[in-house]
Amino acid sequence: MNFDSHTSDVVATAVAVVNLLVPGHARGREYRVTEPRDELRRLLSPRSSRPHHVPTEAEIDQLADYAARLYAVFVAVDAGNMDDACERTNALLWETRAAPVLARHDDEPWHLHFHAIDDAWARNCAASMATGLAVVLGNPVYDRLGVCTALACDRVFVDTSRNGTRRFCSTACQNRVKAAAFRERKRG
Ligand SMILES: [Zn+2]
């Protein structure tokens, strides 16, 4: 993968935030969102221009709405529907008014941040995540966004492997599928 490391971090964060805030199934079990605040702060603070901000319930709800829309982008790519994926991403970029800003902080070299034009926490986070996905979608390896193919799991992932053959959200799901196939062979 040849995205720069900052973009890779932003995309990895987007994946983690979407999986945290979107209910569904995870690794064989129903997944409900409970108390995401601490995990959100852990995920988002290192990249935030307001690292010490503690999000309110309302801000978390707002971010969850954006996360659901970002989730739909992964689903569209997974279904091979690039037009839908790109239109959804463009709508998020437009609504969040994602704007590129070069920033230098914490002894890092100059790097590109993407912020909403105002300081609303959820919109700022969504602007950054939507831009991360936009960079992937505008790249020859656009199809690296995916949804787990294991039974009873709908978590998303970004495939950063060299050959791009990833199918599962986690090694937990990969092992579940392997174990099921093994049982199947034994029985058969
Ligand atoms: Zn999975």
Side-chain angles (χ1 to χ4, degrees), residues 7 10-11 13 31 39 41 46 48 52 65-67 81 85 94 125 130 132 137 146-147 156 159-160 164 166 183:
T7 301
V10 170
V11 175
T13 301
Y31 174 74
E39 183 65 4
R41 290 192 68 201
S48 174
H52 304 296
D65 287 344
Y66 285 122
N81 194 341
W94 192 84
C125 298
L137 295 178
V147 181
V156 298
D159 182 355
T160 54
R166 182 167 165 180
R183 282 195 300 273

Side-chain angles (χ1 to χ4, degrees), residues 65-157:
D65 287 344
Y66 285 122
R69 294 172 62 190
L70 290 162
Y71 183 87
V73 174
F74 287 85
V75 171
V77 175
D78 200 62
N81 194 341
M82 280 302 287
D83 291 351
D84 187 43
C86 292
E87 280 160 20
R88 285 174 183 277
T89 305
N90 274 345
L92 282 162
L93 291 172
W94 192 84
E95 280 174 47
T96 58
R97 300 287 202 279
V101 174
L102 284 163
R104 190 169 68 168
H105 53 83
D106 303 315
D107 296 327
E108 285 182 56
W110 285 100
H111 57 275
L112 205 51
H113 272 249
F114 297 95
H115 286 290
I117 48 166
D118 58 30
D119 206 24
W121 180 82
R123 188 154 49 225
N124 237 328
C125 298
S128 177
M129 293 192 286
T131 307
L133 297 196
V135 171
V136 176
L137 295 178
N139 198 286
V141 292
Y142 61 85
D143 58 352
R144 293 298 185 93
L145 302 180
V147 181
C148 187
T149 56
L151 197 67
C153 186
D154 55 15
R155 302 298 89 186
V156 298
F157 61 83

Side-chain angles (χ1 to χ4, degrees), residues 28-43:
R29 290 201 182 91
E30 188 182 359
Y31 174 74
R32 289 203 190 101
V33 184
T34 48
E35 302 293 330
R37 184 178 283 115
D38 289 347
E39 183 65 4
L40 273 179
R41 290 192 68 201
R42 192 185 69 74
L43 290 168

